[in-house]
Amino acid sequence: MALRARILSPGPKKLLAIDGGGIRGVLALQILAKIESLLRAETGNADYRLADYFDYVAGTSTGAIIAAGIALGKPVQEILDFYLEHGAAMFANVRRLRWLRDKFGYRYESRPLAAKLQSAYGRSTTLGSEHIKTLLLVVMRNATTDSPWPISNNPFAKYNDPAHPTNNLNFPLWQLVRASTAAPTYFAPEVITIDGKPFVFVDGGVTMYNNPAFQMFLMATVDRYWNKAPPEQRGWETGTDKMLVVSVGTGTSADSHYSLKPTEMHLLFNAKSIPSALMYAALNEQDFLCRVFGDCVAGPNLDREVDRMSPSTGPLREKLFRYARYNAELTVDGLRNLRCPYIKPENVQKMDSTQFIPALQVVGKAAADLYVDRAHFNFEVFRP
């Protein structure tokens, strides 16, 4: 089914979001593999793919790499192979270009990642390509205008109008994903020319949408994002029997530091800890919003006060969607609960620990086996 016909067709809609997290995307892919296997068992089709089921896929940073692959109809194993084969190359160190690292502070070269993305998606594949089978949302930050840029291929969006001089659908898909992965200090920004002007883009993980789940829900339902659609079809219908939102994380590592002293919170400490703290708070807030407005059927505790928010009424008497959140806690206690006490937290917490990809696979598979359940999907309503 062509994308335009698919998104306007009646019936329940299924949405999937994947967090940012660098090489920890390998962890999320193990969870996605479990979901894909459930769908294959349900349909009896060994070649069934996530793009056949989910109507909208969103991702930030490494989540954007995965989301783009899913939206193009790739099986999870093929996307995982991309990480296994090219993970180390994507994080190519700039030590041999020490002057570049010292002057600009970039830890890794961006060209190898750009080349791998071009190879994976096709250099000429645009955001509006007919090869993209689902709605796709990629989150990045426009540093030039100091604003988040959640960009989608919705053909009815204002800036996706073919008559518009800066039609977003003409941007190369690989370049948008590369921009979404341009984590400050890790990779150089991506410069995209728009209407003859250069704009500097960095990782969407430094916006409020490192977890893009709730933003995806808004872009699927708010009529302003559908202003070129027929009036009666501006946004998808909501309801626990009309919309399913699945959110997949790449692992969290918030931990207690009872020995921390005020004098230790110097400039270097803050430079290292504040970005990750803000990213954790942002993804947690998106998760919280989804649990308030959605009927949460799966998800770890948010904190000791609100627990899992399942069940919870909140400000709504009728929830707007069915919601499942899958993630793994990468702390000593979290890994113990996943029956992985032999894996050191510091080996799987970093976004660039490519040498510990096998450990991330183990943790991801453990989380998938423990948390993902057929009952969460209510296949009687949200049929494959």
Side-chain angles (χ1 to χ4, degrees), residues 49-320:
R49 303 175 185 195
L50 295 179
D52 297 324
Y53 185 70
F54 289 102
D55 304 290
Y56 204 153
V57 186
T60 302
S61 194
T62 198
I65 296 177
I66 297 169
I70 291 171
L72 285 166
K74 297 179 183 294
V76 173
Q77 185 59 52
E78 183 176 335
I79 304 171
L80 177 60
D81 287 343
F82 175 82
Y83 278 77
L84 299 181
E85 294 171 11
H86 306 302
M90 288 190 292
F91 287 89
N93 206 294
V94 298
R95 285 176 182 168
R96 63 182 179 277
L97 297 174
R98 186 177 297 275
W99 66 271
L100 181 67
R101 183 191 63 189
D102 292 343
K103 184 174 182 179
F104 298 107
Y106 308 139
R107 195 177 307 176
Y108 302 107
E109 293 186 67
S110 59
R111 286 177 296 180
L113 174 57
K116 299 303 180 185
L117 293 174
Q118 290 172 24
S119 176
Y121 306 142
R123 185 178 177 84
S124 61
T125 302
T126 63
L127 182 63
S129 170
E130 62 182 12
H131 298 299
I132 300 178
K133 303 178 183 299
T134 73
L135 279 183
L136 172 65
L137 170 62
V138 173
V139 181
M140 47 196 181
R141 177 177 176 269
N142 188 332
T144 300
T145 60
D146 194 22
S147 59
W149 262 45
I151 186 170
S152 86
N153 62 336
N154 183 348
F156 302 109
K158 177 180 179 179
Y159 290 99
N160 291 351
D161 187 342
H164 199 283
T166 58
N167 180 6
N168 290 339
L169 297 180
N170 293 330
F171 293 138
L173 178 61
W174 73 264
Q175 192 173 31
L176 296 176
V177 174
R178 155 71 184 114
S180 183
T181 63
T185 76
Y186 285 84
F187 295 104
E190 182 72 17
V191 178
I192 300 178
T193 301
I194 304 173
D195 197 23
K197 301 174 183 177
F199 287 80
V200 179
F201 289 89
V202 295
D203 195 329
V206 293
T207 70
M208 287 299 293
Y209 313 123
N210 191 52
N211 170 354
F214 195 71
Q215 178 64 21
M216 173 182 60
F217 162 73
L218 294 176
M219 294 180 72
T221 58
V222 175
D223 62 356
R224 293 289 180 175
Y225 291 109
W226 299 76
N227 63 352
K228 298 293 182 180
E232 69 279 6
Q233 294 178 305
R234 290 185 178 175
W236 288 342
E237 195 173 1
T238 61
T240 56
D241 60 344
K242 297 179 176 65
M243 181 172 287
L244 169 68
V245 177
V246 177
S247 176
V248 178
T250 60
T252 58
S253 56
D255 211 345
S256 301
H257 302 281
Y258 294 111
S259 62
L260 181 64
K261 298 179 178 61
T263 54
E264 294 175 329
M265 297 187 67
H266 44 66
L267 182 62
L268 182 59
F269 175 89
N270 287 330
K272 291 174 61 178
S273 62
I274 286 179
S276 61
L278 292 175
M279 289 171 67
Y280 175 75
L283 69 87
N284 202 61
E285 184 71 7
Q286 289 277 306
D287 190 10
F288 193 9
L289 287 169
C290 284
R291 299 190 199 206
V292 169
F293 289 94
D295 177 25
C296 181
V297 297
N301 285 354
L302 285 167
D303 58 44
R304 293 194 189 108
E305 185 161 17
V306 300
D307 200 68
R308 292 178 58 238
M309 293 288 292
S310 176
S312 172
T313 303
L316 301 178
R317 294 299 174 264
E318 294 186 7
K319 296 289 189 169
L320 301 180

